[in-house]
Each structure stands twice: as C-alpha cells, then as structure tokens.
Amino acid sequence: MEDIPSQSIGKDDEDEIVMEAAAAVHGEPLQDGNCPPNVESAVEILQEKVTKQIIKEGHGRKPSKYATCFLHYRAWTESTQHKFEDTWHEQRPFEMILGKEKNEMTGLAVGVSSMKAGERALLHVGWELGYGKEGNFSFPNVPPMADIIYEVELIGFDEVKEGKARGDMTAEERIGAADRRKMDGNSLFKEEILEEAMQQYEMAIAYLGDDFMFQLFGKYRDMALAVKNPCHLNMAACLIKLKRYEEAIAQCTIVLVEDENNAKALFRRGKARAELGQTDAAREDFLKARKHAPEDKAILRELRLLDEHDRAIYKKQKEIYGGIFGPPPQPKPKPTNLLMRTWQWLILICQWLPSLIYRLFRRERHKAD
C-alpha cells in the first residue's frame, strides 16, 4: 500500500489501516533503567511467589492462554540490583506465548497474563519461578536462587487459539498480521487516540523485525516494506503531534535508510527538525522532498515558514546588536604645539649648522689654493 496520498504529503495517512482483537502499547521506560523504578502503587499478590505493582494503567482486556504477547522488559536480581536483561536497550520486543513459555519465564508469564495492553508494571518473582536453584551461568548470567525484579510493558497481544509464534508463520501470514495491526493503528489515529495508535504500529513492526526482513527478497520484501515503512511514518506523525520530535526523527530515518528519496519521510523529519530549531537540517530535508514532490503545497509552506523565521531572527538580532557597540572609534589627531615644533626645528638647525659652515670653509680654501 502506498503511504503518500496523492493530495499532499502533509496529510496524515487516513487511507491505510484494520481492526482485529489485538492490543498494543508504545513507550520508553520511565527512568534510566540502571536500577528498578520506585513504585508507590498498591502491591497485588498474583501467586505466592509473584507480586505486581502497576506503574501505568493499560486498556482493554487481558490476554488469555496461548495468546501471543509482545512485551518489553528489564530484569534485575533482587539481592544485588544487577541488571541482566533489557529489551528496551536492544530495541527488540520479546515474544511470549502464554502457556508455552520457558521454565525460567514462568513468573514473568504470570505477571504478563494479569496485564492489559499498554500496561507497565513492576513484578517481584521468587527464584522458584525464575532461574531456579541452579541459576544460569551462560547468558543471561543469573546467580543461584536469585529472586528477580521485572519492569514490564505489555506492548500488545494477539489472540490465536493454536498459539502460533511468528517464527512458525509463513511470510504471507506475518505480513498479513502486520498489515492488520497497521490498519488498527490508522483507525485509532483518525480518532486522535495517538498513544494507542502507536501501540498498533509498533506491534505491526514487531512482526517485521530485522531478522525477518533480511530473509526476504523480491515481491515479498516489497510487500513487507509496503506495510513496515508506513507504520514508521505514521508513528512519526503521532510523535510530532505529541511533540516528541527526537523520536519522530528516528522513525523517519529508519525509512530513509531503505528509501533515501521517500518524500514523506523527508517532509516529516524536516518538520520535527524545524520544531527543534535545527533549521539548516530541516531546510535540507524540505528541499530534497520538493525535488520528488515539486507541487506539494505542504512542503512549499514549510519552506516559506523557515524563510520567515530566518528573517525574523535576523531582524531581532539586528535590533539587539546593531548599535550596542556604536560606530568603530576613529583615531583622534594629536593637537599641534607650535612652540614645540619651532624649538625642534631650532635644535635641528644648530646640529647641522657647524657642519655646514665647516664644509663651506673647506671648499673656499680649496679654491684659493
């Protein structure tokens, strides 16, 4: 599906989106992630060895058994506060099928099954439902009998009865699943529900990760990019509306790596850069976008706004600095002292007069001889 509407690059992608019984969320961790966050909400006991505190409320329903869940999480050993995993840092959501998780993920799965889409929570998991009595000495490195703290965000989940993982899907199935998430996001975007729209776009992108894209060639790669790139661009549109300009730039740049002449990516990155005051970089993006969409009024408008901004800045600077130092100082002529000049001439004459008289005397005597 083409992401650039024929009417204008500046318009939002209202023509590309679907809705299915899936939910998702997008966001960054609340703190720097070196230590577990401080949470003051009530403690909920999920099992004897699992407790939960909600950091951010989610929406919708909770995933059922065999639902395919996409989540971000960070994990620390409770006793030492040593962080041993961080999917936010890796920028790759973790996929978990509830009821089919690995043994060391049992406690995490208990917490995830209690969460709604978009929810972020802090989990405390006993070692019995984590890496057990022996721990893990490969990656990740977890000591024996280590209780675990998780900061978890449920990006979204897909209710599939057979619990089919992405790795078990055909290329067509994964692209189709991603396209449905994109359509869900577009529906939410039309209603200005931006956070939830981004959740859907991120879940779509999770189906089309780098490991999957590297395996695609020809028409399948084109099909995947026709879904993936619009998701990044639509996320950028949401982020600009939410004034999260750095993140919007990052989303546009991902598209430009694949398609350096994508006019919509250039336009939206230019808008984000302009909002950050990066006017030279913004103008460069707009000018390049204009080469590929010369009649687009939105691009011309943004270039005109940049020119007006530059003129206003120049005028303001001229007003502030124009006369602050005044005209450059001119050297003042030294006053002439007539008496001093006369005295200097007399001294000069007295110095030269004896020598002059002596030379004249020598000349006359020489003539006489």
Side-chain angles (χ1 to χ4, degrees), residues 51-110:
T51 63
K52 181 179 84 167
Q53 291 175 276
I54 295 176
I55 300 173
K56 185 183 75 173
E57 295 285 351
H59 61 273
R61 66 188 188 285
K62 300 174 183 178
S64 60
K65 190 174 183 179
Y66 302 130
T68 301
C69 300
F70 298 92
L71 53 135
H72 274 304
Y73 71 88
R74 288 170 164 165
W76 298 263
T77 54
E78 188 163 7
S79 59
T80 64
Q81 304 283 290
H82 166 65
K83 183 175 70 174
F84 60 87
E85 278 193 290
D86 187 343
T87 64
W88 273 294
H89 179 73
E90 297 167 3
Q91 297 184 344
R92 180 176 297 181
F94 178 72
E95 179 183 356
M96 171 187 288
I97 298 176
L98 296 180
K100 294 187 176 183
E101 67 277 352
K102 297 178 180 179
N103 288 337
E104 62 267 24
M105 295 291 183
T106 302
L108 178 60
V110 170

Side-chain angles (χ1 to χ4, degrees), residues 30-254:
L30 295 178
Q31 301 181 11
D32 61 14
N34 292 326
C35 298
N38 296 319
V39 184
E40 298 180 355
S41 60
V43 177
E44 180 183 356
I45 300 174
L46 304 179
Q47 281 191 13
E48 183 182 355
K49 300 295 182 180
V50 184
T51 63
K52 181 179 84 167
Q53 291 175 276
I54 295 176
I55 300 173
K56 185 183 75 173
E57 295 285 351
H59 61 273
R61 66 188 188 285
K62 300 174 183 178
S64 60
K65 190 174 183 179
Y66 302 130
T68 301
C69 300
F70 298 92
L71 53 135
H72 274 304
Y73 71 88
R74 288 170 164 165
W76 298 263
T77 54
E78 188 163 7
S79 59
T80 64
Q81 304 283 290
H82 166 65
K83 183 175 70 174
F84 60 87
E85 278 193 290
D86 187 343
T87 64
W88 273 294
H89 179 73
E90 297 167 3
Q91 297 184 344
R92 180 176 297 181
F94 178 72
E95 179 183 356
M96 171 187 288
I97 298 176
L98 296 180
K100 294 187 176 183
E101 67 277 352
K102 297 178 180 179
N103 288 337
E104 62 267 24
M105 295 291 183
T106 302
L108 178 60
V110 170
V112 171
S113 65
S114 73
M115 298 172 68
K116 298 177 181 179
E119 182 178 326
R120 183 180 289 151
L122 192 72
L123 304 177
H124 288 257
V125 176
W127 62 266
E128 298 88 345
L129 299 182
Y131 285 84
K133 188 175 182 179
E134 301 298 326
N136 190 55
F137 292 97
S138 59
F139 180 81
N141 186 3
V142 182
M145 300 178 67
D147 295 334
I148 300 172
I149 300 174
Y150 288 103
E151 180 186 2
V152 188
E153 182 176 358
L154 180 58
I155 295 172
F157 58 89
D158 190 8
E159 295 285 7
V160 181
K161 292 182 180 180
E162 65 273 19
K164 197 170 187 180
R166 286 177 297 175
D168 298 329
M169 292 181 176
T170 65
E172 292 93 336
E173 287 174 331
R174 287 183 70 158
I175 294 169
D179 190 53
R180 289 191 292 273
R181 297 300 153 317
K182 185 191 73 171
M183 298 296 284
D184 289 350
N186 290 351
S187 297
L188 292 164
F189 183 86
K190 290 178 183 178
E191 299 174 19
E192 293 289 319
I193 309 174
L194 302 180
E195 289 285 352
E196 293 184 26
M198 289 195 298
Q199 296 162 12
Q200 297 297 330
Y201 296 137
E202 186 172 13
M203 189 152 171
I205 293 167
Y207 277 100
L208 305 174
D210 291 340
D211 54 341
F212 174 67
M213 296 298 295
F214 287 146
Q215 302 174 41
L216 299 182
F217 299 93
K219 71 171 185 177
Y220 288 110
R221 183 171 180 81
D222 292 341
M223 289 169 59
L225 287 175
V227 176
K228 185 174 183 289
N229 284 351
C231 287
H232 288 297
L233 292 173
N234 294 347
M235 283 186 68
C238 294
L239 290 164
I240 290 172
K241 285 177 175 285
L242 294 170
K243 303 185 186 304
R244 291 158 59 178
Y245 303 117
E246 293 284 0
E247 295 172 74
I249 290 170
Q251 293 295 325
C252 294
T253 302
I254 290 172

